[in-house]
Every structure is written in structure tokens, then in C-alpha cells.
Amino acid sequence: MAGMVELYREALEAFLQEAPLLMQQYRAHWLVGDWPAARRAAHSLKSADAVMGAMAMSQAAKALEQLAAAERHEQVPEAAWQACMQAWQRFTQAVAVYFPA
């Protein structure tokens, strides 16, 4: 965001609220076999992650999107899901500097 810290902070605040919802939507859609909805949630998450600079999380969301696109009928692959969750945790720790206590 070209050095506009306040603008990034505002966008980041919205992202920090939206991303967990997208992750929950993905998992819920996956578990009931709604592949198109799961794919859309993962795609939205992947895009939002990339915009905010959460590249590891974007890559993990891309893997989730690909699994949904393939309409894999097993449970959410834990390795892909855990990679997404771990990337989320690392990202939120890294951006905590924008929200001092």
C-alpha cells in the first residue's frame, strides 16, 4: 500500500475479521460436500491473503481451493488445513505490531 500505514492498518483490520469467516465457510462447505461453495471460499481467502501480503497463507488457501475444485470426497485433508491455520497464526503474530495494546 505504498507506505500508507494507516490505510494498510484499516484494510488489515477488516481482513483479520474476514479471513476466519472464510476459513470457517470453507471447512463447513467441504464437510457437506458443497464443492463449488468450498472452492469460492478458498478462492476468496487466497486472494485476500495475497492482497494483504500473507503469501504463505495464500499458497495454503490455493491448495485448499485445488482440493475443492477436484471434488475430493474424503475429509478435509489435515495437512493442507493445518498449513493454512499455521500460516494464519504466523501472519496474525507478525501484524500484531499494527495493533498495540
Side-chain angles (χ1 to χ4, degrees), residues 25-41:
Q25 288 173 7
Y26 176 84
R27 192 164 181 106
H29 292 308
W30 181 279
L31 291 173
V32 298
D34 187 348
W35 313 117
R39 185 178 162 279
R40 282 190 303 274

Side-chain angles (χ1 to χ4, degrees), residues 6-7 12 37 41-42 67 70 74 88-89 95 97:
E6 187 57 30
L7 179 60
L12 182 59
L67 290 168
E74 69 267 8
W88 170 249
Q89 186 177 40
V95 299
V97 66

Side-chain angles (χ1 to χ4, degrees), residues 3-87:
M4 293 185 264
V5 175
E6 187 57 30
L7 179 60
Y8 179 72
R9 195 185 77 66
E10 290 173 15
L12 182 59
E13 191 171 2
F15 173 72
L16 292 173
Q17 293 176 13
E18 178 185 2
L21 297 175
L22 290 169
M23 288 186 284
Q24 290 171 359
Q25 288 173 7
Y26 176 84
R27 192 164 181 106
H29 292 308
W30 181 279
L31 291 173
V32 298
D34 187 348
W35 313 117
R39 185 178 162 279
R40 282 190 303 274
H43 180 80
S44 295
L45 180 63
K46 175 186 75 173
S47 299
D49 295 340
V51 167
M52 296 311 299
M55 301 315 291
M57 191 170 172
S58 182
Q59 287 299 311
K62 179 180 179 180
L64 294 174
E65 180 184 19
Q66 290 170 340
L67 290 168
E71 297 186 5
R72 302 277 295 273
H73 295 278
E74 69 267 8
Q75 291 182 344
V76 174
E78 283 304 311
W81 181 253
Q82 288 303 319
C84 190
M85 296 303 291
Q86 289 169 358

